[in-house]
Amino acid sequence: MDPIDVQAAGGGIAQQPADCLVVELAEDARRLTGVAAQVDTALRGAIAAMLRDGLITGRAGEVVSVPTGGRVPAKRVVVHGTGKDARTIDQLRRQAGNLARALRGLNAGRVALSTEAATDRLDPEDAARALTEGFALGLYRFDRHHTRAEDRPRGAVSALTLVEPAPRKLAAVRRGVEVGRVLADATNLTRDLANEPANLMTPTIVAERAQAVAAAGGLECTIIERAEAERLGMGSYLSVANGSSQPPKFIVLRYRGGGRTRPLGLVGKGITFDTGGISLKPGAGMERMKGDMTGAAAVIGAMQAIAALAPAVNVLAVAPCTENMPSGSATKPGDVVYAMDGQSIEVLNTDAEGRLVLADGLAYARRQGCAALVDVATLTGAMSIALGNVRIGTFANNDRLYQDLERAAAACGERLWRMPLDAEYGELIKSDVADIKNTAGPAAGSITAAKFLERFVGDTPWAHLDIAGVMDSTSDTGVLVKGNTGAPVRTLVHLALARARA
Ligand code: BES
Ligand code: MN
Ligand code: ZN
């Protein structure tokens, strides 16, 4: 999907060269003030009359279209209701997503939106960023495989201009638009990669897409092929690839902005399709497993944004990619494999493959000297049992890192919840025949998976984001649209920005 063009502008909104002007109105506003009053004057009282007649109420989410009859350059004015209470940044972002889709339904074309109401009580930069993200994320759609135009959603919002009436706030609004655009584009890139069906997003294609991101953003990109992975001793990662005829690709991206400091390491699970392997999954709903490379897609998306925002920090992104397939050459339950740090693993269930690829991903990143490690993985179905699709289950061996992540998530409307790593849970993955086994019983499935990963980070500060619950959305709501959510790209980027400031 083409990213929507978002700009900031100062001055009055009435004369903006746009097809649609959007002004915001709170519920119970008895009369129009500020920009709404100016636009109303240009329309000779048309909005005030509708307000008086109860045709406009200002209820949260209300979208009322008022024809301008040629009194301003735009063909229509949309009055957007913001509700009774003052909005938080998160509510603003979500409302913007819903508004954007409503405007598309109206075929609004080029939209100019007054930021007066949004920047009135909220920080202008944060508000502009939230509005930009809301529009660009809310308008996302994955429709490239509909070959017939009538099967694609109709209507268009082709451009958005945020019009800030207060000159002293304009610079902040411009910054917010700039950063919001970068973050939304990165999130939508992740959505594109993860929504693509597995036959069209093989490990080879993920690697090509990572190389393209690197070339465009000035990142270093190395693809570790199977032979090199064998030399490095990545037996755990490679054991997952055994059943597939697609060559595995271990993707490494580097952003250098922090001189000689140790990098932040981002590690993303890149299973381009998870059949379960010999421990085959049931057929119903298996197509969802095309999204099992969302972690890899998220670290690639985050690196695109980090390259664009250029923080003073070094970041290393690692994405071990492979399919998990059953075949005559596939790994079998009971097989013992060796990770690159020498630890032996009894593979009791080939469907617990994410931790196997992450073991070598984390070990590799650690060997590269990362100061901190954050992995992102659609790791366990148990995670969505525990937290549903609202919060990202987050494990950390380091309080500082967890707090930094929580702050980063709060800055962008993503939500984390800390999960435990007590030593007792580690007892459950002890193996009779190897150092550890890749599955324990049904109890605490997300935690035993995290305990498995913990074995590969040593004493490096590390956090693990199990995004299995938040990977996809079943409806269009707020910044989310049906399909992959692109979480937690924005949290990862904010974390990198914060580390550059520290
Ligand atoms: N990719 C799945 C987890 C998953 C399930 C992600 C649903 C998103 C939605 C993972 O590889 C897996 O199969 N996990 C198993 C682990 C079990 C075998 C210990 C699971 O959750 O059932
Ligand atoms: Mn699996
Ligand atoms: Zn998986």
Side-chain angles (χ1 to χ4, degrees):
M1 195 198 70
D2 295 334
I4 181 187
D5 175 34
V6 188
Q7 307 283 341
I13 195 174
Q15 296 309 315
Q16 279 294 317
D19 303 306
C20 172
L21 308 180
V22 181
V23 295
E24 297 197 302
L25 186 72
E27 190 168 357
D28 298 337
R30 251 168 254 120
R31 51 188 199 88
L32 299 167
T33 57
V35 169
Q38 286 163 24
V39 172
D40 185 54
T41 304
L43 299 192
R44 305 215 191 118
I47 302 173
M50 292 177 78
L51 186 63
R52 213 179 314 112
D53 294 346
L55 301 176
I56 295 176
T57 68
R59 257 197 308 272
E62 183 180 74
V63 171
V64 179
S65 180
V66 184
T68 61
R71 296 196 171 94
V72 295
K75 293 191 278 286
R76 74 165 107 223
V77 169
V78 159
V79 184
H80 178 227
T82 64
K84 279 201 182 88
D85 306 319
R87 290 175 291 183
T88 64
I89 287 288
D90 290 348
Q91 287 166 333
L92 184 65
R93 188 187 287 105
R94 283 198 291 269
Q95 279 191 1
N98 293 331
L99 170 64
R101 282 186 298 272
L103 291 170
R104 183 169 61 200
L106 294 172
N107 198 20
R110 293 167 305 148
V111 171
L113 170 82
S114 171
T115 53
E116 184 184 48
T119 61
D120 181 31
R121 270 179 266 176
L122 297 167
D123 176 77
E125 179 173 345
D126 289 348
R129 176 158 60 80
L131 286 168
T132 305
E133 288 175 2
F135 261 77
L137 294 172
L139 288 175
Y140 173 85
R141 50 192 180 191
F142 184 73
D143 57 9
R144 53 183 305 236
H145 298 303
H146 286 298
T147 63
R148 300 185 318 179
E150 62 265 35
D151 292 337
R152 285 184 231 124
R154 284 152 219 265
V157 172
S158 52
L160 172 67
T161 306
L162 297 187
V163 185
E164 172 54 54
R168 67 193 164 81
K169 295 180 185 168
L170 184 55
V173 167
R174 276 192 207 290
R175 270 197 310 277
V177 166
E178 212 47 57
V179 176
R181 227 168 35 190
V182 167
L183 289 168
D185 287 351
T187 306
N188 287 338
L189 165 67
T190 296
R191 290 171 169 185
D192 270 342
L193 297 177
N195 281 330
E196 199 66 63
N199 63 322
L200 302 175
M201 195 51 64
T202 60
T204 301
I205 299 172
V206 181
E208 285 166 7
R209 297 293 298 263
Q211 280 168 322
V213 167
L219 301 164
E220 290 167 36
C221 182
T222 312
I223 309 298
I224 298 177
E225 306 286 344
R226 189 199 303 267
E228 174 69 6
E230 271 164 15
R231 271 194 295 279
L232 289 167
M234 296 178 169
S236 184
Y237 159 61
L238 289 173
S239 75
V240 179
N242 278 347
S244 172
S245 50
Q246 290 292 334
K249 303 280 170 174
F250 189 104
I251 300 168
V252 182
L253 290 168
R254 259 178 204 285
Y255 165 75
R256 292 183 201 270
R260 300 166 71 86
T261 57
R262 294 165 70 198
L264 166 66
L266 306 177
V267 181
K269 170 179 172 181
I271 302 298
T272 59
F273 196 81
D274 182 11
T275 65
I278 296 298
S279 312
L280 194 63
K281 285 183 181 296
M286 202 201 275
E287 69 282 354
R288 258 184 100 201
M289 287 301 112
K290 70 179 185 173
D292 210 20
M293 41 65 77
T294 299
V299 305
I300 294 168
M303 289 303 271
Q304 172 178 285
I306 289 166
L309 298 172
V313 63
N314 290 327
V315 188
L316 172 75
V318 172
C321 295
T322 175
E323 287 182 336
N324 184 26
M325 298 291 285
S327 83
S329 57
T331 296
K332 301 163 292 297
D335 286 2
V336 172
V337 300
Y338 288 79
M340 76 177 280
D341 70 350
Q343 292 189 78
S344 61
I345 302 163
E346 184 188 10
V347 181
L348 282 182
N349 188 322
T350 64
D351 197 12
E353 84 297 339
R355 63 201 79 181
L356 297 176
V357 306
L358 289 173
D360 282 325
L362 288 165
Y364 177 87
R366 184 174 163 227
R367 190 184 288 180
Q368 296 296 309
C370 288
L373 295 168
V374 178
D375 77 71
V376 185
T378 48
L379 202 63
T380 62
M383 200 68 255
S384 55
I385 304 296
L387 297 180
N389 61 4
V390 179
R391 286 185 185 255
I392 299 171
T394 304
F395 301 80
N397 66 359
N398 182 286
D399 295 343
R400 252 300 296 285
L401 180 59
Y402 180 76
Q403 284 150 16
D404 288 350
L405 270 166
E406 194 156 67
R407 230 170 285 136
C412 64
E414 295 181 327
R415 281 171 282 179
L416 311 181
W417 191 257
R418 191 164 182 180
M419 298 285 292
L421 284 168
D422 300 272
E424 287 86 341
Y425 294 111
E427 296 294 317
L428 303 173
I429 53 169
K430 285 193 171 155
S431 162
D432 293 335
V433 302
D435 297 337
I436 40 175
K437 55 187 180 186
N438 80 330
T439 49
S446 303
I447 308 175
T448 51
K451 289 303 282 184
F452 182 98
L453 301 181
E454 190 186 28
R455 300 273 303 217
F456 297 89
V457 299
D459 50 15
T460 307
W462 155 78
H464 157 56
L465 276 57
D466 190 335
I467 57 170
V470 304
M471 162 182 99
D472 45 22
S473 172
T474 52
S475 64
D476 294 353
T477 160
V479 300
L480 302 181
V481 296
K482 216 183 271 185
N484 196 272
T485 62
V489 168
R490 288 172 296 137
T491 295
L492 297 177
V493 179
H494 281 291
L495 179 71
L497 296 179
R499 288 179 80 86
R501 286 192 297 263

